[in-house]
């Protein structure tokens, strides 16, 4: 993480020099509460999960036994593949649609229209968590849905038909996209605003079409943001929980309650009282999330200057 | 967007050349507006209908005030007013965590940006790393930790983990390191202000926008949090609204046929519950839209 160390800490400090030692003490005073929270809710849990993951229920060192047991569970690999499939569908949709929509909305010169569109895209973000899932349960239930004819057209006559496990990666991707895409569109829009008008103007003078400008200038300049979006979404997506959890409840077990990895970890902790196994799954998820973050920090270049 | 490769005479939909290109863009945008807006509009309308009207009538005609009040009666009567309890819990958790977040992160961001101390770099790097860990990734480890010290089920088991908000520290750090006039702070020191006074009298008043921004983000995120309270609070007595929704869902015969009984909830009442559960956040969103958008963009840029 030395890369962050060098690049992410650009401005500060150099110019401010309140009297040495006193300032040092003050500095610690100011960060004390935050540092404590970081210790208790950022670092200790990870260490404790690490401890549990590598010991058995009597506290004895167990090597990789918990990890092999978990990986050998018949529910484990299906859960991995469910999450992976969902991530694939979701990420492709996110990258393609968010980028395209941001560029299109950015191209609109009618101010109120652009603003209104961004608000409409952004507003569903207010419905996150269980609320958005509940809303989509309605939309996907042919007996109540506002898009009943569309569902019928696709051959769905009942809710249970809609949420058969084969459809779930798409269903979850739609829910996640509906809730989260607007925020990313807004961020991309802001990034597009940062591209100098003279660059675009120069391209236009040289005879570039809108499509060429989007493809050759805007897209490359958005790259950093797209990779940021991908890795954040990828890391968050590995933690899939509330969507399958509520769907399992609403579908009378058509959707299994160990569909995702986090659900499986939850089952280990709360149904089987196997905290060591739960810790092992949590650690695996955490390592994946951290690894993805590391990729983002070192390759995504977001914290680089300029 | 297959616009022709002719040059655009700076049209109103700037740049998308030609009539057919523009029409295509308009169609695509319309489809997405429908996708994003229709579920919300429909949900609001659904709360004004009877269960029968919801499944038989036109989905986009409003019902009546009578049905709305019947739905409200059913919802708020559920388990002797459990909804009100859950909403008050949501408020308690979100606001409690908000206060701790502000107390912890604003001074921390200030110190990270403007005072040199030894562990500064370490703390900054750790902040960046934890900021990138998804919220939910730490929930089970935190559960295991709090379980070991016997705190599970207490409101603190929800409020304190929520209060750890590295993104807020990062935003504050960015703000203080980029837009705080250092001369002003130096002048205050020369005038004899102690460090704490420099912070409370000079820096803090100037930082009002960023304090508000961190507060908004923290509130919205905490209000919508599901996994953390779901895991930490074993009994429905302590649920916030988001988790309470699962109890309502379990009592809706349309989704759970075994639940038909005196305590059952019909679909329109469940729709109303969904609206109620997000109302505070929706209001915050609408009131502070511009402001939040600016902050989201700032949170991503490095400056």
């Amino acid at each position: 993480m030395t890369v962050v160390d060098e690049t992410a800490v650009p401005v500060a400090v150099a110019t401010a020099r309140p009297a040495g030692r006193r300032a040092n003490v003050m500095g610690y005073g100011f960060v004390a509460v935050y540092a404590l929270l970081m210790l208790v809710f950022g670092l200790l849990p990870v260490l404790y999960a690490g401890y549990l993951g590598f010991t058995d229920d009597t506290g004895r060192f167990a090597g990789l036994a918990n990890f092999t047991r978990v990986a050998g569970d018949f529910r484990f690999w299906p859960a991995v593949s469910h999450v992976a499939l969902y991530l694939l569908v979701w990420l492709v949709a996110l990258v393609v649609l968010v980028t395209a929509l941001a560029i299109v909305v950015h191209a609109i010169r009618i101010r109120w229209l652009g603003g209104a569109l961004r608000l409409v895209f952004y507003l569903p973000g207010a419905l996150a968590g269980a609320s958005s899932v509940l809303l989509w349960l309605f939309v996907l239930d042919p007996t109540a849905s506002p898009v009943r004819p569309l569902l019928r057209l696709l051959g769905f006559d009942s809710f249970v038909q809609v949420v058969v496990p084969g459809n779930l990666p798409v269903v979850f991707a739609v829910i996640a996209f509906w809730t989260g895409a607007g925020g990313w569109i807004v961020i991309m829009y802001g990034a597009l605003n940062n591209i100098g008008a003279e660059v675009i103007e120069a391209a236009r003078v040289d005879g570039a079409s809108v499509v060429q400008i989007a493809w050759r200038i805007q897209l490359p300049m958005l790259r950093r943001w797209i990779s940021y979006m991908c890795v954040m979404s990828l890391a968050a997506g590995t933690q899939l929980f509330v969507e399958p959890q509520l769907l399992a409840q609403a579908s009378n077990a058509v959707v299994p309650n160990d569909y995702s990895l986090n659900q499986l970890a939850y089952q280990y902790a709360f149904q089987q009282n196997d905290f060591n196994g739960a810790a092992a799954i949590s650690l695996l998820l955490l390592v994946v999330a951290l690894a993805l973050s590391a990729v983002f920090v070192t390759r995504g270049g977001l914290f680089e200057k300029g | 967007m297959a616009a022709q490769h002719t040059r655009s005479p700076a049209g109103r939909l700037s740049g998308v050349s030609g009539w057919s290109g523009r029409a295509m863009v308009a169609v695509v945008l319309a489809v997405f507006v429908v996708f994003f807006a229709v579920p919300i509009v429909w949900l609001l309308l659904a709360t004004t209908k009877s269960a029968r009207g919801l499944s038989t009538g036109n989905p986009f005609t409003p019902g009546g005030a009578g049905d709305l009040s019947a739905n409200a009666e059913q919802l708020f009567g559920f388990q002797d007013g459990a909804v009100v309890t859950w909403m008050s819990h949501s408020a308690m958790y979100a606001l409690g965590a908000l206060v701790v977040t502000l107390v912890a992160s604003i001074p921390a961001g200030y110190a990270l940006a403007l005072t040199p101390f030894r562990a500064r770099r370490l703390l900054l790097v750790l902040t960046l790393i934890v900021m990138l860990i998804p919220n939910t990734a730490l929930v089970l480890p935190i559960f295991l930790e709090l379980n070991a010290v016997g705190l599970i089920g207490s409101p603190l088991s929800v409020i304190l983990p929520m209060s750890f908000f590295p993104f807020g520290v990062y935003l504050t750090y960015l703000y203080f390191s980029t837009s705080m006039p250092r001369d002003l702070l130096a002048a205050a020191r020369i005038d004899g202000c102690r460090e704490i006074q420099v912070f409370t009298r000079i820096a803090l008043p100037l930082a009002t926008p960023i304090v508000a921004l961190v507060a908004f983000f923290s509130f919205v995120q905490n209000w919508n949090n599901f996994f953390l309270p779901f895991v930490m609070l074993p009994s429905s007595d302590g649920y916030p609204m988001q988790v309470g929704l699962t109890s309502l869902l379990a009592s809706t015969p349309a989704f759970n046929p075994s639940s038909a009984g005196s305590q059952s909830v019909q679909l329109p009442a469940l729709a109303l519950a969904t609206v109620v559960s997000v109302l505070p956040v929706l209001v915050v969103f609408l009131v502070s839209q511009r402001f939040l958008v600016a902050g989201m963009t700032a949170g991503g840029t490095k400056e």
Side-chain angles (χ1 to χ4, degrees), chain B residues 11 19 23 38 67 103 105 126 130 151 157 161 173 184 201 218 260 274 280 289 292 299:
Chain B
W19 180 87
V38 158
D67 286 323
V103 169
S105 53
L126 280 177
V130 235
L151 256 179
S157 67
Y173 158 77
L184 207 60
R201 296 210 188 145
S218 148
T274 311
Q289 194 227 140
L292 283 178

Side-chain angles (χ1 to χ4, degrees), chain A residues 12-71:
Chain A
V13 171
T15 49
R17 278 263 168 254
R21 205 182 163 72
R22 195 184 58 160
N24 215 352
V25 172
M26 271 329 285
Y28 286 116
F30 280 123
V31 297
V33 183
Y34 171 65
L36 190 68
L37 285 174
M38 159 99 77
L39 187 69
V40 177
F41 298 109
L43 304 178
L44 280 184
V46 178
L47 292 178
Y48 189 57
Y51 164 76
L52 284 176
F54 288 99
T55 53
D56 63 15
D57 55 359
T58 61
R60 235 185 255 143
F61 181 71
L64 294 175
N66 291 317
F67 295 90
T68 49
R69 184 176 75 251
V70 166

Side-chain angles (χ1 to χ4, degrees), chain A residues 1 4-6 8-13 15-18 22 24 26-28 30-31 33-34 37-38 40-46 48-49 52 97 101 104-105 107-110 117 119-131 134-139 141 143-144 146 148 159 174 177-178 181 183 186-187 190 194 204 207 209-212 224-225 228 232 235-236 239 241-242 245-246 249-250 252 262 265-266 270 275 279 282 286 289-290 293 296-297 302-304 306, chain B residues 1 3-5 7 12-17 25 29 32-33 35-40 42-43 54-57 59-60 100 104 107-108 110-121 123-134 136-138 140-148 160-161 163-164 166 169-170 173 177 182 189 195-196 199 224 226-227 230-231 242 245-246 249-250 255-257 267 270-271 274 277-278 281-282 285-286 289 292-293 296-297 299-302:
Chain A
M1 288 294 142
V4 194
D5 212 4
E6 293 310 313
V9 189
V11 245
V13 171
T15 49
R17 278 263 168 254
R22 195 184 58 160
N24 215 352
M26 271 329 285
Y28 286 116
F30 280 123
V31 297
V33 183
Y34 171 65
L37 285 174
M38 159 99 77
V40 177
F41 298 109
L43 304 178
L44 280 184
V46 178
Y48 189 57
L52 284 176
L97 295 177
L101 284 174
V104 168
V105 171
I108 293 175
R109 283 285 168 271
I110 310 165
L117 283 173
L119 177 63
V120 169
F121 294 167
Y122 182 59
L123 208 52
L127 282 87
S131 309
L134 223 50
L135 171 51
W136 279 90
L137 292 184
F138 289 121
V139 177
D141 177 0
T143 58
R148 218 174 301 162
F159 181 65
V174 168
F177 183 83
W178 186 79
V186 166
I187 288 179
N194 287 339
R204 194 170 290 143
S209 75
V210 204
V211 177
Q212 285 171 324
R224 212 157 67 152
W225 293 96
Y228 176 45
M232 290 299 272
Q239 309 293 320
F241 183 82
V242 57
Q245 186 71 17
L246 286 192
Q249 201 184 345
N252 284 300
N262 242 336
Y266 181 82
F270 297 92
F275 286 170
S282 299
L286 199 69
L290 262 176
S293 309
F296 153 58
V297 169
L302 195 85
F303 293 119
E304 283 160 23
Chain B
M1 284 7 50
Q4 301 92 331
H5 286 226
R7 286 184 54 191
R12 294 188 79 195
L13 276 171
S14 134
V16 176
S17 5
V25 166
L29 283 178
F32 277 96
V33 166
F35 171 75
F36 281 111
V38 158
I40 293 184
W42 177 84
L43 183 72
L54 190 68
S55 58
T56 54
F60 297 103
V100 184
Y110 169 78
L112 286 174
L114 296 169
T115 47
F117 59 96
R118 235 189 240 145
R120 179 179 161 277
R121 230 164 213 215
L123 204 56
L124 204 51
V125 172
L126 280 177
T127 299
L128 286 176
I129 295 174
V130 235
M131 200 178 90
L132 299 171
I133 299 179
T136 33
L138 286 172
L140 278 176
I142 290 176
F143 168 82
L144 298 171
E145 182 196 46
L146 291 182
N147 190 46
L160 291 178
S163 311
F164 173 53
V169 174
Y170 182 64
Y173 158 77
S177 54
R182 276 144 229 264
R189 289 198 184 96
E195 288 302 315
I196 187 96
F199 174 68
N224 283 331
F226 177 85
F227 195 32
F230 182 75
V231 167
Q242 286 285 328
L245 287 176
T246 59
L249 181 63
F255 290 114
N256 183 7
L267 280 183
L270 190 61
T274 311
S277 72
V278 295
V281 174
L282 209 59
F285 257 57
L286 285 172
Q289 194 227 140
L292 283 178
V293 165
M296 284 174 78
T297 322
T301 50
K302 66 294 126 181

